[in-house]
Amino acid sequence: MIRPLELAIGLRYTRAKRRNRFISFISLVSMLGIALGVVALVATISVMNGFETELRSRILGMVAHATISGAGEDLRDWPRALELAQSDPRVLGAAPYIERESLITGLRSQGALLRGVEPALEPTVSELGEKMKAGALDDLTPGGFGIVIGTELAMVLGADIGDAVTVLVPEARSTPVGVVPQMKRFTVVGIFEAGMQEYDMQMAIIHLSDAQRLLRMGEGVTGVRLKLTDMFQAWHVARDLADRMGDFYRVRDWARDHTNFFRAIQMEKSVMFVILSLIVAVAAFNLVSSLIMLVTDKQADIAILRTLGLSPGSVMAVFVVQGALIGVIGIVAGVIGGIVLTKNLNHVMHFIERILGFELMPADVYYISGGVPTELRSDNLLAITAIAFVMCMLATLYPAWRASRTDPAAALRYE
């Protein structure tokens, strides 16, 4: 146990000038190494958190938190599902939808996911209306056969507002001339930009009633999309609603639909955390050389303290205090530096770009126009601080143990 005597001696040794200035230099290098390692760890994890949050918001801006659909068939009693969902306090919004794979042809052809929506209800479950670059979601009218497409899909098709495109769905119908696929000409009434190729290139939006007519679904829909107060409870809320409806229904949530994507991000973040933690560990274990040199320099002092009755455990505690203090100073400086760097990362990026003369993160490649996204989380800061402190404490154990093994007679023989 560290008592006031050991604490006082350890703090005194930390403040005292070294007879060997090289020891002070090594201590300073150890402190700076810990600080830089912590700065890198805080900034990198904050950037990865920011990217994760940014990508999640973009995905959830186009998809619902959860969906309830028919098990292998169209959902016929969707008005009841909509009523149950809207009466649940955990549900912020609900809207019917229809989805089918399709081939859209303009000047060129491109496959896309065709989604039928109700324009009046769609804003309650997605941000599609806020992502319009031209036209408006309300321009989709029943029987008007208008279509809203993504920016990249519009470029591939060579289509703009007012142009006609042909939508073909892989469902055949019998005619006097034989079996032909379902197809219909639509007029482009809007163009959106979600910021992700998955949607900008591969999604097209039409009115729900037009989708029902095109697919000959009658009054049926694919399912009901839900937006919830807590997106992390999406599966449980959707499952509860499906149970209240009775019969068998298919329930999906945003996490399951994109599980591989978010797992990849989480794995990348975990690997980066481990790699940067190892860098902090290397910096922390520079304390070993610094403290061993200090122990050698203080052999006579240690011997005198031992002859005055200081136990080996107390001697060990003295050097643990000194090593811990160096580590704490480095960690605190690193955490503060990491927070400052994270808050001003965009300014740093712009400064580097001006020096290098080119853009480090082009918006057309990374789909990020507002600068590098960052997100500081208190749990990450606590974890980084705890890990760095534990590493510093481990680094002090061997030098402190070596100091406690000092033989007073041998150390004072030539004094």
Side-chain angles (χ1 to χ4, degrees):
M1 180 179 179
I2 299 177
R3 294 173 295 180
L5 176 61
E6 292 85 346
L7 182 61
I9 297 174
L11 295 176
R12 180 70 180 84
Y13 275 176
T14 303
R15 295 194 307 269
K17 292 184 178 180
R18 309 280 191 260
R19 287 179 293 179
N20 187 344
R21 291 189 177 181
F22 186 68
I23 300 176
S24 298
F25 175 74
I26 294 297
S27 299
L28 181 61
V29 168
S30 301
M31 196 180 299
L32 290 176
I34 294 169
L36 290 175
V38 172
V39 167
L41 190 52
V42 170
T44 302
I45 296 302
S46 298
V47 169
M48 298 194 74
N49 288 338
F51 270 103
E52 182 181 7
T53 301
E54 179 76 12
L55 291 172
R56 180 185 294 161
S57 66
R58 293 190 180 199
I59 289 174
L60 293 180
M62 295 299 295
V63 302
H65 292 169
T67 60
I68 301 175
S69 57
E73 58 183 14
D74 298 334
L75 187 65
R76 295 292 175 181
D77 57 345
W78 64 268
R80 180 167 173 266
L82 206 63
E83 182 181 354
L84 286 173
Q86 292 172 340
S87 64
D88 194 308
R90 298 171 295 179
V91 178
L92 292 176
Y97 75 100
I98 295 173
E99 280 187 352
R100 289 291 191 278
E101 295 292 338
S102 68
L103 179 67
I104 303 179
T105 303
L107 296 179
R108 291 171 292 275
S109 299
Q110 174 67 37
L113 180 67
L114 187 67
R115 177 182 293 173
V117 303
E118 183 61 54
L121 296 176
E122 186 64 16
T124 65
V125 296
S126 77
E127 300 173 359
L128 178 62
E130 302 172 12
K131 299 181 182 295
M132 300 297 296
K133 303 293 288 185
L137 192 60
D138 292 337
D139 292 334
L140 295 175
T141 57
F145 290 99
I147 188 170
V148 174
I149 57 179
T151 51
E152 294 195 24
L153 181 58
M155 292 176 60
V156 171
L157 298 177
D160 204 346
I161 300 295
D163 292 340
V165 295
T166 301
V167 177
L168 183 148
V169 292
E171 295 186 11
R173 61 187 177 89
S174 298
T175 68
V177 296
V179 178
V180 297
Q182 295 280 82
M183 64 176 64
K184 181 68 178 177
R185 290 184 68 82
F186 285 78
T187 302
V188 178
V189 297
I191 297 175
F192 67 86
E193 184 176 15
M196 292 192 69
Q197 189 179 30
E198 180 181 356
Y199 305 116
D200 292 341
M201 173 69 87
Q202 301 175 358
M203 180 170 285
I205 311 296
I206 62 176
H207 196 281
L208 187 73
S209 63
D210 292 345
Q212 289 172 332
R213 291 176 62 182
L214 174 65
L215 300 170
R216 299 179 183 274
M217 296 177 63
E219 296 298 320
V221 299
T222 300
V224 173
R225 304 164 69 215
L226 306 174
K227 184 176 182 178
L228 311 175
T229 55
D230 184 359
M231 66 180 181
F232 295 104
Q233 295 296 318
W235 169 261
H236 302 290
V237 174
R239 186 72 269 169
D240 289 346
L241 291 174
D243 290 341
R244 288 165 59 188
M245 290 170 60
D247 210 344
F248 294 100
Y249 297 94
R250 185 184 181 201
V251 174
R252 297 192 65 83
D253 66 337
W254 65 272
R256 293 172 187 266
D257 287 340
H258 300 87
T259 181
N260 291 333
F261 179 76
F262 286 109
R263 279 182 182 175
I265 293 178
Q266 188 61 43
M267 182 178 295
E268 183 179 356
K269 186 163 64 173
S270 300
V271 171
M272 188 62 67
F273 189 90
V274 171
I275 292 173
L276 293 176
S277 296
L278 291 176
I279 295 175
V280 176
V282 171
F285 277 92
N286 281 334
L287 283 173
V288 176
S289 58
S290 174
L291 290 177
I292 286 178
M293 294 178 68
L294 180 63
V295 168
T296 303
D297 188 57
K298 296 293 185 181
Q299 286 285 327
D301 292 358
I302 296 170
I304 292 171
L305 290 172
R306 290 291 308 279
T307 58
L308 292 175
L310 203 65
S311 67
S314 296
V315 172
M316 187 173 179
V318 168
F319 289 93
V320 168
V321 167
Q322 187 168 10
L325 183 60
I326 294 173
V328 167
I329 293 174
I331 292 169
V332 171
V335 170
I336 294 174
I339 294 173
V340 171
L341 176 60
T342 301
K343 294 292 186 181
N344 297 277
L345 190 58
N346 286 319
H347 298 295
V348 175
M349 289 283 292
H350 294 327
F351 176 74
I352 295 174
E353 288 173 351
R354 284 197 298 269
I355 293 176
L356 298 179
F358 63 88
E359 194 173 359
L360 294 176
M361 299 185 68
D364 57 343
V365 175
Y366 294 95
Y367 294 98
I368 294 173
S369 57
V372 180
T374 58
E375 182 181 351
L376 282 167
R377 297 178 184 172
S378 57
D379 57 336
N380 290 151
L381 293 177
L382 290 174
I384 292 169
T385 302
I387 290 173
F389 182 73
V390 168
M391 290 177 177
C392 291
M393 293 302 295
L394 291 175
T396 64
L397 294 180
Y398 174 72
W401 174 80
R402 184 168 174 176
S404 70
R405 303 287 293 175
T406 300
D407 183 2
L412 296 174
R413 180 179 300 172
Y414 300 105
E415 294 292 331

